[in-house]
Amino acid sequence: MKYHFAALTLAAALALPQASAACAQLSADVWMCDRGTAWEAAKWDVVGDGSARYIDTYILNFTEEWPGHEITDSVATLEEQFETYDAWIAADGGAPLEILQVDKIVTPRGLTLRHLQYDQINGDRTLSAVMLSQVGPARIMLYLDTADTTPLEDMEKMSFDVAMMLRDTCEDQMSCADTIDPPTSGTD
């Protein structure tokens, strides 16, 4: 359910130029600076709308336009926005199977509200980290999913690492150059 919405909203968005391995542009306002991490080698979903990255058994989807994003202002908290999102997902029949942990991660450029939970995607049970991140002035929703047999500690670490890489600007000017082309295949 949540992926269907993310896919629809991002399909309508313009394709973002993907930078070199130092920082990848996840949205108009959010970068994922992954140099020196396992995510540096992640593959992009170049067949779809470009809103997914893959590494090992993990899939990272992201969007700046989730249900509830429109209440972003100087007083709306991450929790308030997540409650709006959660209510929409539940009404759409996509409520999590089980919420394991809810916490916050203080990041170099903001704050992430993280829900670790079991979900069902296309009939398969998954372990998911659903994260709403404040990155500078922007907010982005991230969905990190993997097999439900993955230890919770592994998902805690992987989702923490993703949150810590989020930036409101590209830190490496070379990787932000307009002349850098997006990847051409998801299998290279």
Side-chain angles (χ1 to χ4, degrees):
M1 298 335 124
K2 64 186 172 194
Y3 304 102
H4 179 69
F5 176 78
L8 288 176
T9 58
L10 287 172
L14 294 173
L16 297 170
Q18 299 309 321
S20 70
C23 294
Q25 191 172 6
L26 301 185
S27 71
D29 301 307
V30 179
W31 295 83
M32 182 176 171
C33 295
D34 56 14
R35 179 171 282 157
T37 73
W39 283 95
E40 186 174 12
K43 303 295 182 198
W44 283 94
D45 175 12
V46 295
V47 176
D49 61 11
S51 66
R53 294 184 78 186
Y54 302 86
I55 184 168
D56 299 325
T57 62
Y58 293 90
I59 301 169
L60 176 66
N61 288 277
F62 44 88
T63 182
E64 281 191 318
E65 296 182 12
W66 68 92
H69 82 277
E70 61 280 349
I71 65 170
T72 300
D73 58 31
S74 60
V75 294
T77 66
L78 291 176
E79 291 84 3
E80 289 170 331
Q81 282 193 290
F82 200 94
E83 285 174 18
T84 301
Y85 162 80
D86 204 35
W88 187 90
I89 292 299
D92 195 37
L97 300 175
E98 180 182 354
I99 297 175
L100 304 170
Q101 178 179 317
V102 177
D103 58 10
K104 291 183 182 176
I105 303 167
V106 177
T107 68
R109 301 285 169 88
L111 182 67
T112 295
L113 176 62
R114 172 176 69 176
H115 286 226
L116 297 174
Q117 60 196 39
Y118 287 115
D119 281 319
Q120 189 152 354
I121 302 171
N122 298 327
D124 295 323
R125 184 178 151 155
T126 64
L127 178 59
S128 302
V130 181
M131 300 178 283
L132 179 55
S133 294
Q134 174 81 42
V135 184
R139 291 187 178 175
I140 189 168
M141 183 72 78
L142 303 115
Y143 311 100
L144 183 63
D145 300 294
T146 192
D148 68 341
T149 56
T150 302
L152 180 61
E153 296 78 24
D154 291 356
M155 177 57 95
E156 283 178 310
K157 177 164 181 6
M158 186 66 86
S159 58
F160 176 84
D161 291 347
V162 167
M164 294 303 285
M165 289 184 271
L166 299 177
R167 304 286 187 270
D168 58 349
T169 184
C170 184
E171 294 182 339
D172 179 342
Q173 290 303 312
M174 189 60 133
S175 66
C176 294
D178 291 338
T179 58
I180 296 174
D181 294 324
T184 56
S185 108
T187 58
D188 290 344

